Amino acid sequence: MKQLMLGNEAVARGLYEAGCSVISSYPGTPSTEITEYASKYDDMYSEWAPNEKVAMEVAIGASIGGKRSFCAMKHVGLNVAADPLFTVAYSGVNGGMVIAVADDPGMHSSQNEQDSRHYAIASKVPMLEPSDSSECLAFTKLAFEISERFDTPVILRLSTRIAHSQSLIETADRIVPMQKEYIKNPAKYVMMPAMAKARHVVVEKRTLDLVEYAETSTVNKVIMNNSKIGIITSGTSYQYAREALGDEASYLKLGMVNPLPIKLIQDFASKVEKLYVIEELDDIFETHCKKIGLNVVGKDIFPVIGEFSQNLIAQKMGAAINDTLSLEETIPVRPPVMCAGCPHRGMFYTLSKNKVMVSGDIGCYTLGAQAPLQSIDTTICMGASISGLHGFNKAMGEKGEKSSVAVIGDSTFMHSGITGLANIAYNNSNSTVIILDNSITGMTGHQQNPTTGYNIKGEPATKISLEKLCEAVGINRVTVVDPYDLKRCDEVVKEELAAEEPSVIIARRPCALLKSVKHKPALHVVNDSCKGCKSCMKIGCPAISIRDKKAVIDKTLCVGCGLCQSLCAFSAIHEGEEA
């Protein structure tokens, strides 16, 4: 039956139809929906792991146990999982194993723009790249076949546009292969030097076999049209090129982007007058073409930064650019802000007020760097806030310790913050860590994590106590505050910065967008009492604006959190109906 599906949903469908049995992932835009959709198929076990490394190791274990397994992550998550990736490339699989990684050209929701094809090359693992939802489904199933045929994990590479675009797919029945027998085999699965040296030989032989497969497999497609222009491309770039150039060019669409074929590319090149390589981000295909002696046009006209588009390709290749409509009026910018009622706002206001240096982390609280709060000084990667603060304080000494903190969300703390806190306790820096516990993984769309007490299906699960966990790694001073209580937040931050030992503050209040959170009625401003001092604007709440020199509260946004009331010296903000 044909259906319209998101790319991520089609991958989940492919997992189901391929008979995948075990799925473990960590949420990360734009890959999150794969596992959310997969969790709706009760025939497959699925879970949120604490981080991407754990997720991949779970998939490896399930594969060794003889079942088809899967893990998904965004591109930076593959950095976290790189350690097991490089070794499972040596050990190989038993049941098929597929790893989905979603790149984010244009950095819509990421801290960098890395090209995951480098990981496939470096780890010597085959990588497939679909160009629409139909291929998302088909390539997922094919990836399991390649995995088992060549004894290797297979990476399925997505991009934001493919993951979040819809196109038609045709579903099929689920076929579950028989579970493979687990046979004890230390030479294959124990990667100590003597065994690993032997497995490296296997990996190199496998790569040559995969190149032969890529030469003739239908996963790579040649579409011959006009022979004046030949284009080598893949993924979403193929869709852009087809729309920009249509039948005015011929195409070699690479579905397997590692390893790359040689004869197929040379044969295609021999049939066209001028050869172009169109690929987002780095010059992987272009470099390969030049290594095999081909003269191609690539990054000398196409950028290495950002997303491509139909019009960009048309412009760079001198083709007609489609007419577009534009609005001449100036449209107000809409920078991302923390939501009305966000529990992080109170703590960031406190830190900004006390002029504290803040070592930040990855999550929606990164928005604390925006005006007017401007609280965050640094953001590097998941978990770096805590270990970075430790290093900062070792460099700055007491001056740093008395005026700096780390902030990290509950999910990120479980992902990779715990080890940083253990380092603070073990290596004795007088550092203050603030865990912003909003009881959910917020920025990726409300996924459960080990501190929420629920699993991926919303069923009750073990709830890890942040207080006890911090105490267990050696932190004696652990204080819980309500971030809506500005007075208490201010007291606690000052107390812990003054303390002569490491400490943790847990700022705990559920995300304002959780369905389980009951909000108070919207507040309103008494016009005659408002002096237009703009003190209420200092918290950066999107529900408050200034009109005719008076504060105004948008009732459709306000959740009655009361933070603005705490800042109004003239008692102009009231609960209840306006008089």
mmCIF file of all heavy atoms in Angstrom, residues 157 208 350 448 562:
data_model
loop_
_atom_site.group_PDB
_atom_site.id
_atom_site.type_symbol
_atom_site.label_atom_id
_atom_site.label_comp_id
_atom_site.label_asym_id
_atom_site.label_seq_id
_atom_site.Cartn_x
_atom_site.Cartn_y
_atom_site.Cartn_z
ATOM 1 N N ARG A 157 23.180 7.040 5.956
ATOM 2 C CA ARG A 157 23.372 8.486 6.139
ATOM 3 C C ARG A 157 22.142 9.262 5.652
ATOM 4 O O ARG A 157 21.718 9.125 4.512
ATOM 5 C CB ARG A 157 24.598 8.967 5.364
ATOM 6 C CG ARG A 157 24.898 10.443 5.576
ATOM 7 C CD ARG A 157 25.801 11.000 4.497
ATOM 8 N NE ARG A 157 26.240 12.360 4.799
ATOM 9 C CZ ARG A 157 26.485 13.268 3.868
ATOM 10 N NH1 ARG A 157 26.349 12.981 2.585
ATOM 11 N NH2 ARG A 157 26.869 14.486 4.205
ATOM 12 N N LEU A 208 37.597 -4.349 -0.375
ATOM 13 C CA LEU A 208 37.741 -4.647 -1.804
ATOM 14 C C LEU A 208 36.485 -5.342 -2.342
ATOM 15 O O LEU A 208 36.026 -5.050 -3.460
ATOM 16 C CB LEU A 208 38.977 -5.532 -2.025
ATOM 17 C CG LEU A 208 40.327 -4.874 -1.706
ATOM 18 C CD1 LEU A 208 41.455 -5.886 -1.864
ATOM 19 C CD2 LEU A 208 40.565 -3.660 -2.610
ATOM 20 N N THR A 350 19.090 34.786 37.576
ATOM 21 C CA THR A 350 19.901 34.855 38.800
ATOM 22 C C THR A 350 21.394 34.912 38.461
ATOM 23 O O THR A 350 22.145 35.702 39.036
ATOM 24 C CB THR A 350 19.617 33.623 39.681
ATOM 25 O OG1 THR A 350 18.232 33.590 40.006
ATOM 26 C CG2 THR A 350 20.446 33.667 40.959
ATOM 27 N N GLN A 448 11.836 10.715 26.926
ATOM 28 C CA GLN A 448 12.131 10.308 28.298
ATOM 29 C C GLN A 448 13.628 10.053 28.449
ATOM 30 O O GLN A 448 14.344 9.848 27.470
ATOM 31 C CB GLN A 448 11.344 9.044 28.653
ATOM 32 C CG GLN A 448 9.846 9.155 28.453
ATOM 33 C CD GLN A 448 9.179 10.158 29.384
ATOM 34 O OE1 GLN A 448 9.740 10.542 30.418
ATOM 35 N NE2 GLN A 448 7.987 10.592 29.033
ATOM 36 N N GLY A 562 4.753 33.797 37.274
ATOM 37 C CA GLY A 562 4.979 34.788 38.313
ATOM 38 C C GLY A 562 6.364 35.382 38.374
ATOM 39 O O GLY A 562 6.640 36.221 39.233
#
